[in-house]
Amino acid sequence: MNTRRTHAAGVSGESLSHPHIRRAFRSTKLLVGCYVGLSALTLVAIILLRDRPEIVTDAVWVRTIVVVATSLLMASFVARTVRGHSRSYLRLRLASAVMVVAIAVIVALPGGFPLWLKIEQGVCGVLLTGVVVIVNGRRVRAVFGGR
């Protein structure tokens, strides 16, 4: 493979194949993959527990569906970022940071969601905080021309 090739978004293959960047991408894919998996398992759980209104409220349905959708979007952003797409990198940076803030609000505010969902969201927040730290790191930003 020619590592000097420039990808569609102008990021060089040489930059993308650097060991530090490959490690960062591998970690990001793992974290987002866990986020997708946990989100999907939560959706399965609420489907199975749908007849328990004290556990599965309307708010739980809405939040879980939104989280599954955003987790899949983030997975697509990661996949394209790894291939050198700078717009997907920007989307990944923004979406992960926004989701961490949204999760922090959900976990911190009293009421609204049952404790079990707040715990699940807390785990999602930890996973996404890892993504935020990695994709905003100096080396990864430098690959995509970030400051």
Side-chain angles (χ1 to χ4, degrees):
M1 179 174 127
N2 181 4
T3 59
R4 293 202 179 272
R5 193 173 123 226
T6 299
H7 293 260
V11 176
S12 76
E14 186 174 345
S15 297
L16 294 172
S17 64
H18 189 279
H20 292 293
I21 300 306
R22 289 173 49 134
R23 191 175 318 115
F25 286 162
R26 192 170 37 254
S27 296
T28 302
K29 287 191 290 187
L30 176 64
L31 290 167
V32 171
C34 289
Y35 177 50
V36 170
L38 181 56
S39 301
L41 285 174
T42 303
L43 181 58
V44 169
I46 69 168
I47 290 169
L48 294 174
L49 297 170
R50 68 186 172 272
D51 295 328
R52 305 267 318 267
E54 72 279 6
I55 295 174
V56 181
T57 64
D58 289 343
V60 168
W61 277 105
V62 171
R63 178 66 189 163
T64 302
I65 291 168
V66 168
V67 170
V68 169
T70 60
S71 72
L72 294 173
L73 276 173
M74 274 200 249
S76 73
F77 298 158
V78 171
R80 292 180 52 87
T81 296
V82 168
R83 292 194 306 265
H85 293 266
S86 56
R87 284 195 182 267
S88 290
Y89 168 67
L90 178 60
R91 289 177 185 129
L92 177 62
R93 286 180 69 193
L94 292 173
S96 59
V98 166
M99 287 304 296
V100 167
V101 171
I103 289 168
V105 169
I106 284 169
V107 170
L109 288 178
F113 295 99
L115 180 61
W116 72 268
L117 186 73
K118 288 185 176 199
I119 292 168
E120 181 267 351
Q121 285 292 281
V123 174
C124 288
V126 169
L127 294 169
L128 292 179
T129 298
V131 172
V132 169
V133 168
I134 293 167
V135 300
N136 288 289
R138 181 180 48 85
R139 287 182 172 151
V140 176
R141 281 193 338 264
V143 167
F144 291 93
R147 293 175 185 87

